[in-house]
């Protein structure tokens, strides 16, 4: 949480546990927690494969996201 924004990132269900409703349960719980802490907006970064789940939960696409990582020393 930052101010009244909830940011969801790097949420993953391991392959052996997918297609069991766990992702839905986790996201429903996180959204409830954020609402309970007075979040007014939410930002979610999702993979292409995760997008379908998030859309069924009411999230909509706003725009693409790019991430960058520096070289290891």
């Amino acid at each position: 949480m930052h101010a009244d924004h909830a940011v969801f990132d790097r949420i993953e269900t391991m392959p052996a546990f997918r297609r069991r409703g766990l992702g839905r349960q986790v996201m429903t719980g996180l959204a409830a927690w954020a609402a309970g802490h007075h979040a007014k907006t939410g930002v979610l970064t999702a993979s292409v494969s995760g997008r379908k789940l998030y859309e069924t939960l009411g999230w909509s696409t706003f725009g693409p996201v790019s991430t960058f990582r520096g070289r290891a020393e």
Side-chain angles (χ1 to χ4, degrees):
M1 281 285 294
H2 178 69
D4 57 356
H5 310 292
V7 179
F8 304 102
D9 188 19
R10 297 183 186 178
I11 300 166
E12 180 181 1
T13 304
M14 296 182 72
F17 297 98
R18 292 181 185 158
R19 310 295 306 159
R20 298 182 186 188
L22 298 173
R24 177 178 294 276
Q25 283 186 306
V26 168
M27 286 308 299
T28 299
L30 288 172
W33 176 87
H37 284 79
H38 310 291
K40 295 190 184 337
T41 57
V43 176
L44 167 67
T45 56
S47 65
V48 172
S49 61
R51 183 180 296 172
K52 188 178 269 189
L53 166 65
Y54 300 124
E55 288 174 347
T56 66
L57 295 174
W59 291 87
S60 57
T61 302
F62 181 76
V65 173
S66 297
T67 59
F68 301 94
R69 181 175 22 181
R71 292 184 302 177
E73 292 186 44

